[in-house]
Amino acid sequence: GRVWDVSSTREGDLLASVSADASLRVWSLMEDSKAVRTVPTSHVGDISSVSFHPESRAHVVTAGHDQTVRLVDVERETV
């Protein structure tokens, strides 16, 4: 789906993207790895915004067209 927003960690080694297909994807930008994983968010419909927590690379905040905001642990893959 269409990508609506991206965010990176302060270190620049992880990138999170959110899309029109209600997906949150986390990309590793390390030189030896270009791994990507899809993390569940429980949003219904498009996710329009994502931001890594400024103090925790394990957490992102997402906002969806379903008018909800979620705090997602991208390491444990839990909301």
Side-chain angles (χ1 to χ4, degrees):
R2 173 181 284 174
V3 174
W4 289 118
D5 196 18
V6 296
S7 178
S8 67
T9 57
R10 187 180 321 179
E11 300 81 12
D13 60 332
L14 293 176
L15 182 76
S17 66
V18 290
S19 304
D21 62 359
S23 66
L24 165 63
R25 291 186 174 86
V26 178
W27 309 79
S28 172
L29 302 179
M30 301 297 289
E31 288 183 34
D32 60 341
S33 172
K34 298 295 182 199
V36 61
R37 66 177 188 251
T38 302
V39 179
T41 64
S42 72
H43 281 288
V44 177
D46 294 16
I47 305 173
S48 54
S49 181
V50 64
S51 183
F52 270 96
H53 188 287
E55 300 299 323
S56 171
R57 59 186 282 112
H59 296 96
V60 298
V61 174
T62 59
H65 287 205
D66 58 0
Q67 300 182 351
T68 63
V69 175
R70 307 272 193 237
L71 177 62
V72 181
D73 184 323
V74 296
E75 290 181 357
R76 294 184 181 174
E77 297 188 1
T78 59
V79 178

